[in-house]
Amino acid sequence: MFKRYYADMVTEAAVPPAQAFRFFCNVQDWADWSSVIANARLLNGDWRRGALLMFAPKLPGLPAAPLIVPILEFEPDHRITWGVNLPMARMLHRFTFTPVEGGSCRIHHEEWSEGVISLLTLPVTRRLRAFNERFARELAAMF
């Protein structure tokens, strides 16, 4: 399957993974610290596999339209993955919080698509990459 990456970056946080993870999980606060998020919230309860995340990204040149995606993977204090996972197309967004020596952590931020959706996103690839880079930098700047 054709695969395209929009984000594959690692940032450092001068706090333990559990602390960075808890901060990140305050989804209703994303718009307060990220210039590329207009609004965000969980629609049906707490973070868990199967919960629905609604967020409205601000992509340059496009309106901040809300997206609703299921949480596909949730490992407390370690990893969150959301996205669309269809038989012939996937688009996934993952954050992994890994401890490093000295009590801090690395935040691995990934977004990629596979299959036909990779072709459909070609016109906005540059915007998706800029969105992800800004979001990752602003998240890291909070620690």
Side-chain angles (χ1 to χ4, degrees):
M1 228 188 284
F2 181 63
K3 189 172 193 176
R4 175 178 295 280
Y5 274 88
Y6 309 100
D8 188 9
M9 61 193 78
V10 176
T11 55
E12 301 284 330
V15 296
Q19 185 177 343
F21 190 87
R22 278 191 307 274
F23 177 85
F24 182 78
C25 285
N26 289 321
V27 66
Q28 69 281 355
D29 294 341
W30 287 3
D32 294 339
W33 56 262
S34 176
S35 66
V36 295
I37 298 290
N39 188 14
R41 69 179 186 268
L42 289 173
L43 297 179
N44 58 343
D46 295 328
W47 285 101
R48 61 179 165 68
R49 186 182 171 127
L52 296 174
L53 170 65
M54 185 289 298
F55 68 104
K58 293 189 233 178
L59 296 172
L62 297 173
L67 302 172
I68 298 174
V69 291
I71 304 304
L72 302 172
E73 183 179 34
F74 183 76
E75 297 175 35
D77 299 334
H78 180 61
R79 179 176 291 145
I80 298 173
T81 305
W82 62 78
V84 178
N85 193 6
L86 305 170
M88 297 297 288
R90 293 169 27 133
M91 187 154 183
L92 303 176
H93 208 139
R94 175 178 293 148
F95 289 83
T96 305
F97 299 78
T98 306
V100 294
E101 194 172 313
S104 61
C105 74
R106 288 192 180 100
I107 304 170
H108 188 189
H109 175 179
E110 304 169 88
E111 183 177 38
W112 72 96
S113 62
E114 297 174 8
V116 70
I117 202 166
S118 296
L119 298 174
L120 297 174
T121 59
L122 280 173
V124 295
T125 296
R126 194 171 291 153
R127 289 181 176 129
L128 287 171
R129 288 186 177 141
F131 165 85
N132 283 308
E133 288 172 9
R134 165 81 41 97
F135 189 83
R137 282 193 314 269
E138 291 173 346
L139 175 60
M142 298 309 296
F143 304 106

